[in-house]
Amino acid sequence: MAGIELSGIAKSYGGVEVLRDVDLAVGEGEFVVLVGPSGCGKSTLLRMIAGLEPITAGELRIGGRRMNEVPPRGRDIAMVFQSYALYPHMTVARNMGFPMEIAHRPKAERAGPVARAAEVLGLGKLLDRYPRALSGGQRQRVAMGRAIVRQPQAFLFDEPLSNLDAALRVEMRLEIARLHHRIGATTVYVTHDQVEAMTLADRIVVMNAGRIQQVGTPMDLYERPANRFVAGFIGSPTMNIVEGTPVPDGLRLADGTVWPAPLGARALGIRPEHLHVAPDGDGAGLRAEVQLIERLGSDTNLFCEAPGVGPLLARVHGDVNLALGSSVVLTPDLARLHPFDAEGRRVPVGR
Amino acid sequence: MAALGRPHPALVAGKYLALAAYVAFALFPLYWLVKIAVTPDRLIYSEGTRYWPSAATWDNFREVLGSDFLRFFGNSVIVSLSTAAITAVIAAGGGYAFSRFDFRGKRLVSALLLLTQMFPLLIIIAPIYRIVASLGLLNTLPSLIVTYTAFNIPFALFLMQSFFDGIPKDLEEAAMIDGCTRMQALRKVILPLTLPGLGATLGFVFTAAWSEILFALMLIRKEESMTFPVGLLNFVSKFSVDWGQMMAAGVLALVPSCLFFAFIQRYLVQGLTSGAVKG
């Protein structure tokens, strides 16, 4: 197993730059998730680590060795594709043993690792089947089995769960987490699903428009997003952002309410779960009208409209006794306000 | 509920009736070929329009097999098989390149290949004749193999390209990560999946070369290197046509085509790539 270091990595196609200034160090045994909207360059970055895309500038090291010019087969990595990429003319067993077959390991030597991986993934009875006779989840497992069998330096996952239905996705997510726990392999995992990122990652790399926006543990990103992009991308439902005019003790919103903010702040973010909802008449605060109620059982989402300020989403525990159109007062948890400056960067609190 | 349940029996019957009518229409010439081939000479004109002659005979076949026809037949086999094999190899290589790589001049080459398909063959027969003559290849089988190969490559290449396009790129990439070189990935993963395409291409080129007559007529004058379509014309003499033998030869000429397709049909089965990736 080995760490992966990227320094100053850039990628352009012709004159179009799709990635720039990517610096990232993935520690040995670390699970790093690259997350971002489609087209942000996360898959390209992963393919560059795999050797499927040439690196325009910068240096890639795996296990301390420079890899820029090494073809994929020399990098000793395994990759799980979104499409599974199983070889349709080979049985499950041969699919999983294929890397060893190519390495000219004798047949007898291959059977052991394949059987063990099949055992771990619950594929024992399917070894003689062809991929076409498997369900989506089973194919995904075979693809993972093929990666495990070779005991590579690092695992790369390219949106491995995107083709599965919701229930199976949760199940496979757990499976991947369990597998990582068990094998402890260095892993780079690409997804556009922030829930996958939050639940699987040791560290998350948030990307947008070809640049890294922030790197940190899931809770880091949740509690201290570096900018408005990260704030909006991490956390579900999305963080509310309200703009205001700076006044001596904070930011004055359009309706006159003042929320505390440090110097330089032009906007404040507040997560739906940190917005308190009180029936109208209970003192001062931001007044809003409830426009839509989503009851999820454990929680309730209240979509409110504050005149002049804009739409705000509040999430409360359990059910609420409110009707559509009723008026409420919203108060933020002051310790959980995220101040951002005019460029959208986080303003450090604690003057 | 009729829309959801079984279709009305009359509709089913109608469908099969229409299919049967089409098949009968399509196969009637073949039936006529066989019928005349077994009709004795003396009955050909007197019983011309009967569906089956009052007496059948193998005489026509016997005479055909005893004549030069076997040599024509052999020549045709050599020419068609060589053409199919060479074309398939070149088309597979070119199709792969067209499907997987971006290179300078790709669009130009592609346009030129398409352009060659637009000329009526008739207008380039003379130049081809001159070229072959100056190469000293007149009256040889290689002259036919080379010309047929040249004319079949564009279509075969586009055919192969579409088959390669149907194989996901992920598979090669997975193979290369699993330790293959590009050539190994091609041989171990892509080639086995292209067999249906290769089969179709071989079949197409083989039949095209097998039944070609225009160039065979122009480029070959000597009996010993004639192919069978040209040989068939030998049954037409100045004053009469030997219908019976001509048809017998025609029936025999169908045999290799049928054998060839029987051989490659298992590769033509679609769905070999299913299960590779989620569609």
Side-chain angles (χ1 to χ4, degrees):
Chain A
M1 223 170 302
I4 301 171
E5 294 149 58
L6 306 163
S7 41
I9 294 281
K11 173 78 189 172
S12 355
Y13 292 102
V16 187
E17 193 172 50
V18 293
L19 276 177
R20 62 186 290 203
D21 297 339
V22 176
D23 293 299
L24 180 68
V26 181
E28 243 183 80
E30 195 180 17
F31 198 118
V32 166
V33 174
L34 305 180
V35 67
S38 56
C40 72
K42 57 190 191 296
S43 279
T44 308
L45 188 59
L46 191 77
R47 291 170 56 83
M48 285 161 85
I49 298 174
L52 299 172
E53 296 280 349
I55 296 170
T56 311
E59 191 177 56
L60 164 71
R61 291 174 166 276
I62 299 177
R65 246 183 84 208
R66 183 183 157 92
M67 286 291 174
N68 289 41
E69 294 79 20
V70 180
R73 64 176 185 282
R75 298 191 182 195
D76 195 16
I77 35 127
M79 184 154 160
V80 177
F81 290 76
Q82 177 177 1
S83 63
Y84 321 137
L86 301 181
Y87 310 124
H89 55 303
M90 301 180 190
T91 61
V92 167
R94 196 165 161 225
N95 257 288
M96 286 170 51
F98 187 69
M100 289 190 285
E101 183 183 327
I102 291 297
H104 299 295
R105 299 261 294 277
K107 222 172 196 167
E109 219 177 285
R110 283 183 240 155
V114 168
R116 273 195 298 279
E119 180 68 27
V120 172
L121 293 164
L123 293 168
K125 292 196 180 105
L126 306 174
L127 282 177
D128 294 326
R129 294 233 197 135
Y130 283 90
R132 61 177 166 274
L134 301 180
S135 69
Q138 290 167 336
R139 288 179 198 177
Q140 184 61 68
R141 272 173 231 259
V142 176
M144 275 159 56
R146 190 170 64 191
I148 298 172
V149 162
R150 29 180 317 208
Q151 303 187 307
Q153 301 246 40
F155 288 103
L156 307 178
F157 288 86
D158 189 5
E159 309 219 14
L161 306 184
S162 299
N163 279 342
L164 301 175
D165 61 50
L168 204 53
R169 199 177 303 167
V170 174
E171 191 187 320
M172 290 306 293
R173 201 171 74 204
L174 284 171
E175 191 113 6
I176 291 175
R178 210 174 293 139
L179 208 64
H180 178 67
H181 196 66
R182 191 168 165 157
I183 303 179
T186 311
T187 306
V188 181
Y189 185 108
V190 163
T191 180
H192 59 260
D193 179 0
Q194 58 102 12
V195 178
E196 266 172 48
M198 292 294 280
T199 50
L200 287 170
D202 293 327
R203 276 194 305 155
I204 297 178
V205 178
V206 183
M207 298 184 63
N208 188 34
R211 309 197 68 155
I212 291 185
Q213 301 293 318
Q214 189 176 2
V215 181
T217 65
M219 286 322 281
D220 270 350
L221 301 192
Y222 179 80
E223 282 166 359
R224 282 178 297 281
N227 54 41
R228 281 175 67 163
F229 179 80
V230 177
F233 201 81
I234 298 292
S236 171
T238 305
M239 184 189 282
N240 301 297
I241 305 262
V242 292
E243 318 239 341
T245 357
V247 291
D249 46 352
L251 218 53
R252 188 171 55 218
L253 310 185
D255 72 331
T257 322
V258 175
W259 283 359
L263 207 62
R266 289 291 181 281
L268 282 167
I270 182 75
R271 296 200 182 276
E273 52 270 40
H274 301 144
L275 207 51
H276 299 295
V277 181
D280 200 0
D282 287 15
L286 182 59
R287 268 161 217 287
E289 186 195 314
V290 178
Q291 294 198 321
L292 191 69
I293 301 177
E294 277 182 353
R295 291 192 166 85
L296 305 173
S298 62
D299 295 290
T300 304
N301 292 337
L302 299 168
F303 293 85
C304 309
E305 177 75 29
V309 179
L312 285 164
L313 170 58
R315 173 171 243 195
V316 296
H317 222 61
D319 197 5
V320 287
N321 189 18
L322 284 171
L324 284 187
S326 58
S327 178
V328 291
V329 172
L330 302 172
T331 26
D333 181 342
L334 295 185
R336 305 278 202 161
L337 279 172
H338 303 273
F340 298 105
D341 67 14
E343 274 82 52
R345 287 182 305 239
R346 183 182 190 84
V347 182
V349 200
R351 285 168 277 187
Chain B
M1 291 314 286
L4 289 176
R6 277 157 183 275
H8 196 274
L11 276 177
V12 179
K15 196 167 81 183
Y16 280 104
L17 216 61
L19 279 175
Y22 171 74
V23 170
F25 181 75
L27 291 183
F28 186 78
L30 283 183
Y31 158 72
W32 211 246
L33 186 77
V34 175
K35 179 230 154 189
I36 293 181
V38 297
T39 308
D41 268 348
R42 59 191 161 81
L43 296 178
I44 279 193
Y45 292 105
S46 54
E47 292 184 355
T49 53
R50 277 176 58 156
Y51 284 103
W52 200 250
S54 52
T57 172
W58 292 108
D59 284 352
N60 290 326
F61 287 94
R62 213 166 289 133
E63 284 200 30
V64 165
L65 289 175
S67 70
D68 275 345
F69 185 78
L70 274 187
R71 188 193 301 147
F72 303 152
F73 203 81
N75 287 340
S76 264
V77 169
I78 293 171
V79 168
S80 305
L81 276 184
S82 313
T83 305
I86 298 173
T87 308
V89 169
I90 297 177
Y96 183 74
F98 267 68
S99 164
R100 291 297 197 259
F101 302 121
D102 266 318
F103 48 88
R104 199 174 306 176
K106 179 174 171 177
R107 294 183 55 151
L108 183 72
V109 175
S110 171
L112 281 177
L113 284 175
L114 206 59
L115 200 67
T116 61
Q117 299 294 287
M118 293 175 182
F119 288 105
L121 284 181
L122 223 52
I123 54 176
I124 39 178
I125 274 197
I128 291 281
Y129 183 87
R130 291 292 302 267
I131 294 171
V132 170
S134 53
L135 286 173
L137 288 176
L138 280 183
N139 289 320
T140 63
L141 295 182
S143 70
L144 290 183
I145 296 173
V146 170
T147 4
Y148 293 170
T149 303
F151 281 106
N152 277 305
I153 278 177
F155 182 80
L157 192 146
F158 288 129
L159 197 64
M160 285 309 293
Q161 183 194 350
S162 71
F163 278 103
F164 281 119
D165 283 344
I167 298 175
K169 227 176 162 175
D170 282 0
L171 286 182
E172 277 156 292
E173 295 184 341
M176 288 198 277
I177 286 177
D178 282 346
C180 293
T181 60
R182 187 172 273 280
M183 282 315 283
Q184 274 177 316
L186 193 58
R187 205 178 36 156
K188 297 217 169 218
V189 175
I190 304 303
L191 198 64
L193 299 176
T194 329
L195 287 180
L198 222 47
T201 308
L202 279 171
F204 171 80
V205 178
F206 181 89
T207 356
W210 184 256
S211 52
E212 208 285 337
I213 183 160
L214 205 53
F215 283 98
L217 210 54
M218 288 300 298
L219 300 177
I220 308 282
R221 278 295 153 84
K222 288 201 181 125
E223 285 245 329
E224 67 259 28
S225 35
M226 275 184 183
T227 56
F228 108 86
V230 183
L232 269 190
L233 294 181
N234 281 1
F235 293 105
V236 185
S237 66
K238 213 165 192 176
F239 305 108
S240 70
V241 178
D242 196 334
W243 290 112
Q245 287 186 28
M246 196 173 181
M247 296 300 159
V251 171
L252 291 174
L254 283 175
V255 174
S257 277
C258 295
L259 283 180
F260 194 76
F261 273 95
F263 171 67
I264 61 170
Q265 66 94 19
R266 70 194 181 101
Y267 299 112
L268 290 174
V269 180
Q270 287 301 308
L272 209 65
T273 54
S274 70
V277 298
K278 175 118 179 180

